[in-house]
């Protein structure tokens, strides 16, 4: 039986978090919480005779993404009208970019679960405007339309057909989402529909490299829908070809409830849209100096951070990836290292102790009073033996809660470690004397009881004894008992 290989190209639409819309001064508002039709004007409502103006900030945001994806920014841009009728599109056309997009020819490296890295080509990145939003009433009484979203700046990122499985598509799409968040271009709020996927899918006998007829699955609005839609479509096409059938080029929809694709339109060509240059907008010239400025202002991106954390700081790939996942976390970590923290020690404390405190309290780093420098001064108290690790965890929890400094907490709660050798030696002697049965077993060869003795001493000092010193003193005194029993 022929084994079929999936061939997938993704189109990702992302709303851009600018203050105002793509071609008018209306605010970009929250698509779920803002009252419907509260951020609209004659331009985004498509009134005749209204003139659009290009939002410079939206162009800059699009450039950031295109540059992060290693694309070439085209100096000569033209907006085009993509004509079609739909109730959420009051003008009867969407202003987009067609023949002359903002950027072309980039790539993004993705790392698969097995650790393998693959380079996915980016065909183009262009700007357009979003449509309004339709809500179909459950009772069949009609549909409601909200034009708040009409004219919101939208970015479209089109990949080459380089993806070979739903899993790869998922990794690629997740990485694009992460990048958009890093660049401050999009919130990544999938539930609010600010990122949407369309998957172009075909199959071919494994080992061949032709591009066969594809179908395009629209309205994939979650990662689950993306992988579900692709898997379903790959299986459908492979079964159809295996049975001697042919694939018809079509636009499909994804039914999330039934988890299957449904045909919406058979074949859809560019001619159907009658694209032509938007006569109300001048060509957009992008000065290479502006491109250079935007490129220079890009933040350090996740891959670069991961590389720096692993080869520079010696963190494991796993830890480096966790720290670089979200920009605020990575920047918090960077600030702690910049404040003099040991990179490995800070990483351990953030990933193991701080993250679990945040998870317990369902808080994010930005919501707590603990500063990166605050964590570093706590670790300094551990490193100079003022407090031991366990006490430090308690102090950390207090710092997260109260915002007080580590020093103040240790002082106020009397948590400083007992490192007074004479006092500890006295205590060790006392504990040995008070527990003759355990001592006898120890002397009879049950050496693991040393740990039990340490525990008793820690208990007596409410955890404040310097554990290294306790162990040393205990070893000395037990050894003495062995050679010269009292
Ligand atoms: P359009 O949707 O305007 O026709 P393109 O032809 O540029 O756009 O392709 C759109 C997407 O389809 C791209 O992501 C591209 O990689 C993908 N694609 C093109 N041909 C195939 C194919 N044979 N199989 C799977 N994906 C494909
Ligand atoms: Mg398409
Ligand atoms: Zn408007």
């Amino acid at each position: 039986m022929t084994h079929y290989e999936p061939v997938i190209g993704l189109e990702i639409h992302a709303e851009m978090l600018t203050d105002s819309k793509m071609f008018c001064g209306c605010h970009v508002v929250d698509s779920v919480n803002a009252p419907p039709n509260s951020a609209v004007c004659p331009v985004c409502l498509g009134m005749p005779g209204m003139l659009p103006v290009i939002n410079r900030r939206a162009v800059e945001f699009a450039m950031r993404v295109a540059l992060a994806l290693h694309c070439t920014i085209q100096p000569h841009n033209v907006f085009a009208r993509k004509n079609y009728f739909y109730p959420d599109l009051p003008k009867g056309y969407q202003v987009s970019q067609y023949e002359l997009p903002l950027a072309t020819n980039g790539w993004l490296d993705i790392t698969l679960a097995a650790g393998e890295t693959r380079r996915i080509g980016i065909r183009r990145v262009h700007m357009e405007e979003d449509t309004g939003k339709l809500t179909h009433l459950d009772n069949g009484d009609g549909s409601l339309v909200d034009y708040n979203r009409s004219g919101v700046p939208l970015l479209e990122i089109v990949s080459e057909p380089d993806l070979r499985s739903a899993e790869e598509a998922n990794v690629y799409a997740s990485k694009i989402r992460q990048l958009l968040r890093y660049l401050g271009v999009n919130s990544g709020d999938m539930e609010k529909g600010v990122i949407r996927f369309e998957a172009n899918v075909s199959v071919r006998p494994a080992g061949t490299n032709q591009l066969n007829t594809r179908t395009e699955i629209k309205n994939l609005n979650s990662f689950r829908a993306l992988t579900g839609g692709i898997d379903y479509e790959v299986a459908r096409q492979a079964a159809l070809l295996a049975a001697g059938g042919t694939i018809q080029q079509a636009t499909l929809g994804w039914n999330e409830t039934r988890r299957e694709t449904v045909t919406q339109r058979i074949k859809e060509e560019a001619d159907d849209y009658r694209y032509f240059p938007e006569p109300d907008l001048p060509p957009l010239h992008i000065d290479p100096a502006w491109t250079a400025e935007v490129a220079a202002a890009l933040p350090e991106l996740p891959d670069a951070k991961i590389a720096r954390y692993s080869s520079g700081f010696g963190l494991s790939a796993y830890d480096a990836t966790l720290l670089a996942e979200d920009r605020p976390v990575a920047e918090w970590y960077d600030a702690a290292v910049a404040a003099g923290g040991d990179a490995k020690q800070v990483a351990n404390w953030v990933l193991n102790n701080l993250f679990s405190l945040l998870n317990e309290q369902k808080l994010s780093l930005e919501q707590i009073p603990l500063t990166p420098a605050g964590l570093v001064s706590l670790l300094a108290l551990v490193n100079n033996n003022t407090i031991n690790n366990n006490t430090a965890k308690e102090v950390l929890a207090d710092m997260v809660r109260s915002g007080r400094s580590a020093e103040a907490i240790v002082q106020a709660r009397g948590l400083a470690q007992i490192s007074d050798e004479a006092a500890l030696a006295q205590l060790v002697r006392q504990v040995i004397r008070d527990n003759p049965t355990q001592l006898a077993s120890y002397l009879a060869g049950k050496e693991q009881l040393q740990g039990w003795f340490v525990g008793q001493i820690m208990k007596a000092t409410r955890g404040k004894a310097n554990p290294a010193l306790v162990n040393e003193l205990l070893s000395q005194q037990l050894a003495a008992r062995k050679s010269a029993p009292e």
Side-chain angles (χ1 to χ4, degrees), residues 309-331:
Y309 295 166
S310 28
S311 53
F313 294 167
L315 304 191
S316 69
Y318 182 79
D319 286 355
T321 305
L322 279 181
L323 286 170
E325 182 65 32
D326 279 316
R327 186 170 163 190
V329 172
E331 288 181 348

Side-chain angles (χ1 to χ4, degrees), residues 169-320:
N170 190 33
V171 172
Y172 166 82
S174 308
K175 195 157 175 184
I176 296 268
R177 173 177 177 271
Q178 180 193 39
L179 212 53
L180 292 167
R181 283 160 47 95
Y182 250 80
L183 296 168
V185 166
N186 182 288
S187 68
D189 257 335
M190 303 295 297
E191 323 78 62
K192 292 195 174 164
V194 297
I195 302 179
R196 305 174 310 252
F197 311 121
E198 288 170 21
N200 295 267
V201 179
S202 64
V203 299
R204 64 188 174 199
T208 64
N209 52 25
Q210 78 266 24
L211 286 177
N212 288 334
T213 304
R214 64 180 152 118
T215 56
E216 178 171 355
I217 318 169
K218 298 240 182 221
N219 57 302
L220 297 168
N221 297 340
S222 67
F223 290 97
R224 192 172 124 84
L226 175 69
T227 52
I230 292 172
D231 280 336
Y232 180 90
E233 190 52 21
V234 166
R236 187 189 71 85
Q237 291 186 16
L240 191 58
L241 291 179
T246 50
I247 307 298
Q248 216 178 5
Q249 185 168 341
T251 302
L252 313 174
W254 173 244
N255 185 321
E256 181 62 36
T257 320
R258 294 170 53 187
R259 297 196 67 75
E260 59 185 39
T261 56
V262 273
T263 305
Q264 290 182 336
R265 288 184 290 276
I266 298 295
K267 204 153 179 164
E268 174 179 284
E269 299 283 9
D271 323 354
D272 296 345
Y273 291 119
R274 297 192 176 278
Y275 279 100
F276 63 85
E278 164 62 66
D280 289 340
L281 288 171
L284 172 68
H285 180 76
I286 295 181
D287 188 341
W290 188 25
T291 302
E293 210 177 288
V294 175
L298 288 182
E300 185 182 31
L301 296 173
D303 283 350
K305 283 202 187 286
I306 291 170
R308 185 163 57 82
Y309 295 166
S310 28
S311 53
F313 294 167
L315 304 191
S316 69
Y318 182 79
D319 286 355

Side-chain angles (χ1 to χ4, degrees), residues 37-119:
N37 298 304
S38 59
V40 294
C41 74
V43 174
C44 55
L45 286 174
M47 301 290 172
M50 296 321 292
L51 290 176
V53 178
I54 301 167
N55 179 342
R56 182 186 167 94
R57 191 73 161 155
V59 179
E60 186 197 317
F61 276 18
M63 284 162 74
R64 283 188 199 168
V65 178
L67 288 166
L69 293 172
H70 315 96
C71 291
T72 306
I73 303 287
Q74 298 300 330
H76 184 63
N77 277 251
V78 170
F79 285 94
R81 284 191 186 178
K82 181 180 183 180
N83 298 283
Y84 66 95
F85 170 78
Y86 210 64
D88 63 10
L89 188 72
K91 291 199 293 264
Y93 56 84
Q94 178 188 32
V95 178
S96 179
Q97 291 190 289
Y98 182 56
E99 278 165 314
L100 295 166
L102 175 73
T104 52
N105 225 1
W107 50 266
L108 179 68
D109 284 339
I110 58 170
T111 306
L112 306 176
E116 184 201 349
T117 297
R118 297 212 41 231
R119 181 157 292 186

